[in-house]
mmCIF file of all heavy atoms in Angstrom:
data_model
loop_
_atom_site.group_PDB
_atom_site.id
_atom_site.type_symbol
_atom_site.label_atom_id
_atom_site.label_comp_id
_atom_site.label_asym_id
_atom_site.label_seq_id
_atom_site.Cartn_x
_atom_site.Cartn_y
_atom_site.Cartn_z
ATOM 1 N N ILE A 18 17.325 -3.746 -4.684
ATOM 2 C CA ILE A 18 18.139 -4.235 -5.803
ATOM 3 C C ILE A 18 19.601 -4.110 -5.412
ATOM 4 O O ILE A 18 19.993 -3.016 -5.016
ATOM 5 C CB ILE A 18 17.791 -3.499 -7.126
ATOM 6 C CG1 ILE A 18 16.236 -3.640 -7.349
ATOM 7 C CG2 ILE A 18 18.627 -4.026 -8.262
ATOM 8 C CD1 ILE A 18 15.820 -2.962 -8.724
ATOM 9 N N LYS A 19 20.237 -5.255 -5.280
ATOM 10 C CA LYS A 19 21.578 -5.240 -4.563
ATOM 11 C C LYS A 19 22.669 -4.803 -5.552
ATOM 12 O O LYS A 19 22.578 -4.744 -6.695
ATOM 13 C CB LYS A 19 21.783 -6.746 -4.030
ATOM 14 C CG LYS A 19 20.785 -7.099 -2.873
ATOM 15 C CD LYS A 19 21.123 -8.475 -2.368
ATOM 16 C CE LYS A 19 20.337 -8.774 -1.087
ATOM 17 N NZ LYS A 19 20.731 -10.163 -0.595
ATOM 18 N N PRO A 20 23.832 -4.616 -4.880
ATOM 19 C CA PRO A 20 24.988 -4.063 -5.729
ATOM 20 C C PRO A 20 25.398 -4.866 -6.969
ATOM 21 O O PRO A 20 25.811 -4.280 -8.041
ATOM 22 C CB PRO A 20 26.224 -4.028 -4.699
ATOM 23 C CG PRO A 20 25.475 -3.958 -3.419
ATOM 24 C CD PRO A 20 24.174 -4.640 -3.472
ATOM 25 N N ASP A 21 25.270 -6.237 -6.880
ATOM 26 C CA ASP A 21 25.574 -6.998 -8.044
ATOM 27 C C ASP A 21 24.764 -6.673 -9.254
ATOM 28 O O ASP A 21 25.152 -6.692 -10.408
ATOM 29 C CB ASP A 21 25.644 -8.513 -7.718
ATOM 30 C CG ASP A 21 24.347 -9.057 -7.182
ATOM 31 O OD1 ASP A 21 23.813 -8.488 -6.247
ATOM 32 O OD2 ASP A 21 23.833 -10.034 -7.726
ATOM 33 N N SER A 22 23.508 -6.547 -8.997
ATOM 34 C CA SER A 22 22.511 -6.226 -10.009
ATOM 35 C C SER A 22 22.782 -4.826 -10.711
ATOM 36 O O SER A 22 22.579 -4.612 -11.845
ATOM 37 C CB SER A 22 21.128 -6.218 -9.492
ATOM 38 O OG SER A 22 20.732 -7.417 -8.957
ATOM 39 N N GLU A 24 25.614 -3.303 -10.690
ATOM 40 C CA GLU A 24 26.979 -3.365 -11.419
ATOM 41 C C GLU A 24 26.768 -4.092 -12.786
ATOM 42 O O GLU A 24 27.339 -3.655 -13.778
ATOM 43 C CB GLU A 24 27.808 -4.357 -10.578
ATOM 44 C CG GLU A 24 29.320 -4.256 -10.717
ATOM 45 C CD GLU A 24 29.924 -5.286 -9.673
ATOM 46 O OE1 GLU A 24 29.764 -5.016 -8.448
ATOM 47 O OE2 GLU A 24 30.566 -6.173 -10.122
ATOM 48 N N ALA A 55 24.304 -0.609 6.759
ATOM 49 C CA ALA A 55 24.296 -2.024 6.388
ATOM 50 C C ALA A 55 24.304 -2.872 7.650
ATOM 51 O O ALA A 55 23.520 -3.830 7.733
ATOM 52 C CB ALA A 55 25.405 -2.424 5.444
ATOM 53 N N TYR A 59 20.988 -5.318 8.664
ATOM 54 C CA TYR A 59 21.120 -6.788 8.784
ATOM 55 C C TYR A 59 21.441 -7.213 10.224
ATOM 56 O O TYR A 59 22.033 -8.376 10.436
ATOM 57 C CB TYR A 59 22.258 -7.345 7.811
ATOM 58 C CG TYR A 59 21.747 -7.360 6.366
ATOM 59 C CD1 TYR A 59 22.226 -6.650 5.366
ATOM 60 C CD2 TYR A 59 20.713 -8.302 6.071
ATOM 61 C CE1 TYR A 59 21.790 -6.794 4.077
ATOM 62 C CE2 TYR A 59 20.266 -8.387 4.745
ATOM 63 C CZ TYR A 59 20.771 -7.638 3.774
ATOM 64 O OH TYR A 59 20.387 -7.759 2.500
ATOM 65 N N TYR A 68 28.216 -12.422 8.312
ATOM 66 C CA TYR A 68 27.685 -11.086 8.525
ATOM 67 C C TYR A 68 28.694 -10.043 8.053
ATOM 68 O O TYR A 68 28.303 -9.074 7.284
ATOM 69 C CB TYR A 68 27.414 -10.899 10.047
ATOM 70 C CG TYR A 68 26.974 -9.570 10.457
ATOM 71 C CD1 TYR A 68 25.799 -8.999 10.046
ATOM 72 C CD2 TYR A 68 27.767 -8.724 11.342
ATOM 73 C CE1 TYR A 68 25.341 -7.758 10.483
ATOM 74 C CE2 TYR A 68 27.283 -7.467 11.769
ATOM 75 C CZ TYR A 68 26.016 -7.001 11.302
ATOM 76 O OH TYR A 68 25.626 -5.804 11.819
ATOM 77 N N ASN A 69 29.975 -10.179 8.313
ATOM 78 C CA ASN A 69 30.869 -9.104 7.896
ATOM 79 C C ASN A 69 31.003 -9.050 6.391
ATOM 80 O O ASN A 69 31.146 -7.970 5.759
ATOM 81 C CB ASN A 69 32.220 -9.313 8.496
ATOM 82 C CG ASN A 69 32.322 -8.884 10.000
ATOM 83 O OD1 ASN A 69 31.489 -8.151 10.395
ATOM 84 N ND2 ASN A 69 33.204 -9.464 10.739
ATOM 85 N N ASP A 70 30.980 -10.257 5.704
ATOM 86 C CA ASP A 70 30.986 -10.397 4.253
ATOM 87 C C ASP A 70 29.811 -9.652 3.681
ATOM 88 O O ASP A 70 29.904 -8.945 2.695
ATOM 89 C CB ASP A 70 31.095 -11.839 3.794
ATOM 90 C CG ASP A 70 32.462 -12.392 4.049
ATOM 91 O OD1 ASP A 70 33.401 -11.727 4.284
ATOM 92 O OD2 ASP A 70 32.508 -13.686 3.982
ATOM 93 N N LEU A 71 28.671 -9.951 4.305
ATOM 94 C CA LEU A 71 27.354 -9.412 3.823
ATOM 95 C C LEU A 71 27.474 -7.928 3.901
ATOM 96 O O LEU A 71 26.966 -7.173 2.870
ATOM 97 C CB LEU A 71 26.252 -9.958 4.626
ATOM 98 C CG LEU A 71 24.828 -9.496 4.395
ATOM 99 C CD1 LEU A 71 24.350 -9.705 2.954
ATOM 100 C CD2 LEU A 71 23.899 -10.167 5.373
ATOM 101 N N VAL A 72 27.922 -7.351 4.992
ATOM 102 C CA VAL A 72 28.015 -5.836 5.145
ATOM 103 C C VAL A 72 28.971 -5.343 4.029
ATOM 104 O O VAL A 72 28.705 -4.387 3.462
ATOM 105 C CB VAL A 72 28.448 -5.547 6.576
ATOM 106 C CG1 VAL A 72 28.879 -4.046 6.702
ATOM 107 C CG2 VAL A 72 27.301 -5.846 7.525
ATOM 108 N N ALA A 73 30.094 -6.028 3.837
ATOM 109 C CA ALA A 73 31.092 -5.548 2.790
ATOM 110 C C ALA A 73 30.443 -5.470 1.431
ATOM 111 O O ALA A 73 30.617 -4.562 0.660
ATOM 112 C CB ALA A 73 32.343 -6.345 2.839
ATOM 113 N N TYR A 74 29.753 -6.578 1.147
ATOM 114 C CA TYR A 74 29.037 -6.704 -0.167
ATOM 115 C C TYR A 74 28.049 -5.566 -0.337
ATOM 116 O O TYR A 74 27.903 -4.885 -1.355
ATOM 117 C CB TYR A 74 28.431 -8.040 -0.236
ATOM 118 C CG TYR A 74 27.315 -8.312 -1.289
ATOM 119 C CD1 TYR A 74 27.357 -7.897 -2.598
ATOM 120 C CD2 TYR A 74 26.094 -8.795 -0.778
ATOM 121 C CE1 TYR A 74 26.289 -8.102 -3.424
ATOM 122 C CE2 TYR A 74 25.049 -8.999 -1.601
ATOM 123 C CZ TYR A 74 25.150 -8.553 -2.907
ATOM 124 O OH TYR A 74 24.046 -8.750 -3.803
ATOM 125 N N MET A 75 27.161 -5.414 0.605
ATOM 126 C CA MET A 75 25.982 -4.521 0.487
ATOM 127 C C MET A 75 26.485 -3.059 0.465
ATOM 128 O O MET A 75 25.731 -2.133 0.059
ATOM 129 C CB MET A 75 25.006 -4.663 1.654
ATOM 130 C CG MET A 75 24.195 -5.954 1.522
ATOM 131 S SD MET A 75 23.211 -6.080 0.029
ATOM 132 C CE MET A 75 21.950 -4.823 0.313
ATOM 133 N N THR A 76 27.773 -2.773 0.979
ATOM 134 C CA THR A 76 28.244 -1.339 0.868
ATOM 135 C C THR A 76 29.282 -1.245 -0.314
ATOM 136 O O THR A 76 29.852 -0.114 -0.474
ATOM 137 C CB THR A 76 29.082 -0.965 2.136
ATOM 138 O OG1 THR A 76 30.069 -1.943 2.434
ATOM 139 C CG2 THR A 76 28.046 -0.992 3.367
ATOM 140 N N SER A 77 29.382 -2.211 -1.219
ATOM 141 C CA SER A 77 30.375 -2.227 -2.181
ATOM 142 C C SER A 77 30.022 -1.375 -3.419
ATOM 143 O O SER A 77 30.770 -1.170 -4.313
ATOM 144 C CB SER A 77 30.686 -3.607 -2.738
ATOM 145 O OG SER A 77 29.573 -4.222 -3.335
ATOM 146 N N GLY A 78 28.729 -0.983 -3.420
ATOM 147 C CA GLY A 78 28.188 -0.189 -4.614
ATOM 148 C C GLY A 78 26.785 0.288 -4.305
ATOM 149 O O GLY A 78 26.234 -0.150 -3.298
ATOM 150 N N PRO A 79 26.274 0.977 -5.241
ATOM 151 C CA PRO A 79 24.956 1.544 -5.070
ATOM 152 C C PRO A 79 23.886 0.444 -5.003
ATOM 153 O O PRO A 79 24.037 -0.660 -5.710
ATOM 154 C CB PRO A 79 24.705 2.514 -6.266
ATOM 155 C CG PRO A 79 25.932 2.564 -7.018
ATOM 156 C CD PRO A 79 26.870 1.553 -6.579
ATOM 157 N N VAL A 80 22.776 0.749 -4.298
ATOM 158 C CA VAL A 80 21.633 -0.152 -4.251
ATOM 159 C C VAL A 80 20.340 0.614 -4.457
ATOM 160 O O VAL A 80 20.329 1.906 -4.433
ATOM 161 C CB VAL A 80 21.513 -0.834 -2.828
ATOM 162 C CG1 VAL A 80 22.722 -1.702 -2.610
ATOM 163 C CG2 VAL A 80 21.365 0.202 -1.726
ATOM 164 N N GLU A 117 24.164 -14.508 -8.641
ATOM 165 C CA GLU A 117 25.371 -15.352 -9.057
ATOM 166 C C GLU A 117 25.884 -16.143 -7.906
ATOM 167 O O GLU A 117 26.670 -17.134 -8.253
ATOM 168 C CB GLU A 117 26.428 -14.345 -9.632
ATOM 169 C CG GLU A 117 26.878 -13.285 -8.564
ATOM 170 C CD GLU A 117 27.812 -12.357 -9.211
ATOM 171 O OE1 GLU A 117 27.360 -11.536 -10.129
ATOM 172 O OE2 GLU A 117 28.988 -12.336 -8.808
ATOM 173 N N SER A 118 25.572 -15.911 -6.719
ATOM 174 C CA SER A 118 25.995 -16.720 -5.699
ATOM 175 C C SER A 118 25.089 -16.593 -4.444
ATOM 176 O O SER A 118 24.220 -15.719 -4.377
ATOM 177 C CB SER A 118 27.472 -16.363 -5.182
ATOM 178 O OG SER A 118 27.410 -15.069 -4.579
ATOM 179 N N ILE A 119 25.292 -17.353 -3.381
ATOM 180 C CA ILE A 119 24.411 -17.254 -2.192
ATOM 181 C C ILE A 119 24.497 -15.873 -1.574
ATOM 182 O O ILE A 119 23.549 -15.411 -0.983
ATOM 183 C CB ILE A 119 24.762 -18.419 -1.141
ATOM 184 C CG1 ILE A 119 23.615 -18.476 -0.167
ATOM 185 C CG2 ILE A 119 26.119 -18.171 -0.562
ATOM 186 C CD1 ILE A 119 23.596 -19.711 0.737
ATOM 187 N N GLU A 120 25.634 -15.174 -1.840
ATOM 188 C CA GLU A 120 25.754 -13.815 -1.263
ATOM 189 C C GLU A 120 25.280 -12.817 -2.270
ATOM 190 O O GLU A 120 24.382 -12.039 -2.018
ATOM 191 C CB GLU A 120 27.229 -13.542 -0.941
ATOM 192 C CG GLU A 120 27.363 -12.109 -0.420
ATOM 193 C CD GLU A 120 28.823 -11.920 -0.038
ATOM 194 O OE1 GLU A 120 29.129 -12.161 1.127
ATOM 195 O OE2 GLU A 120 29.621 -11.465 -0.891
ATOM 196 N N ARG A 121 25.830 -12.869 -3.544
ATOM 197 C CA ARG A 121 25.495 -11.943 -4.513
ATOM 198 C C ARG A 121 24.236 -12.450 -5.363
ATOM 199 O O ARG A 121 24.290 -12.994 -6.426
ATOM 200 C CB ARG A 121 26.707 -11.792 -5.577
ATOM 201 C CG ARG A 121 27.858 -11.120 -4.799
ATOM 202 C CD ARG A 121 29.175 -11.214 -5.648
ATOM 203 N NE ARG A 121 29.106 -10.500 -6.874
ATOM 204 C CZ ARG A 121 29.288 -9.225 -7.046
ATOM 205 N NH1 ARG A 121 29.648 -8.458 -5.993
ATOM 206 N NH2 ARG A 121 29.295 -8.623 -8.268
ATOM 207 N N ASN A 122 23.058 -12.245 -4.661
ATOM 208 C CA ASN A 122 21.852 -12.915 -5.129
ATOM 209 C C ASN A 122 20.766 -11.913 -5.580
ATOM 210 O O ASN A 122 19.589 -12.212 -5.440
ATOM 211 C CB ASN A 122 21.352 -13.902 -4.053
ATOM 212 C CG ASN A 122 21.004 -13.192 -2.733
ATOM 213 O OD1 ASN A 122 21.187 -12.019 -2.573
ATOM 214 N ND2 ASN A 122 20.609 -13.879 -1.695
ATOM 215 N N ALA A 123 21.165 -10.876 -6.075
ATOM 216 C CA ALA A 123 20.366 -9.903 -6.978
ATOM 217 C C ALA A 123 19.464 -8.959 -6.210
ATOM 218 O O ALA A 123 19.390 -7.849 -6.467
ATOM 219 C CB ALA A 123 19.629 -10.696 -8.059
ATOM 220 N N ILE A 124 18.577 -9.576 -5.251
ATOM 221 C CA ILE A 124 17.735 -8.630 -4.649
ATOM 222 C C ILE A 124 17.409 -9.182 -3.161
ATOM 223 O O ILE A 124 17.643 -10.331 -2.761
ATOM 224 C CB ILE A 124 16.326 -8.509 -5.265
ATOM 225 C CG1 ILE A 124 15.466 -9.832 -5.300
ATOM 226 C CG2 ILE A 124 16.451 -7.923 -6.721
ATOM 227 C CD1 ILE A 124 14.036 -9.521 -5.729
#
Side-chain angles (χ1 to χ4, degrees):
I18 303 181
K19 293 183 171 182
D21 57 308
S22 299
E24 206 177 295
Y59 282 114
Y68 180 64
N69 285 336
D70 287 345
L71 175 58
V72 168
Y74 155 57
M75 289 300 289
T76 56
S77 68
V80 295
E117 59 186 65
S118 70
I119 195 165
E120 179 177 271
R121 295 169 62 86
N122 59 3
I124 67 168

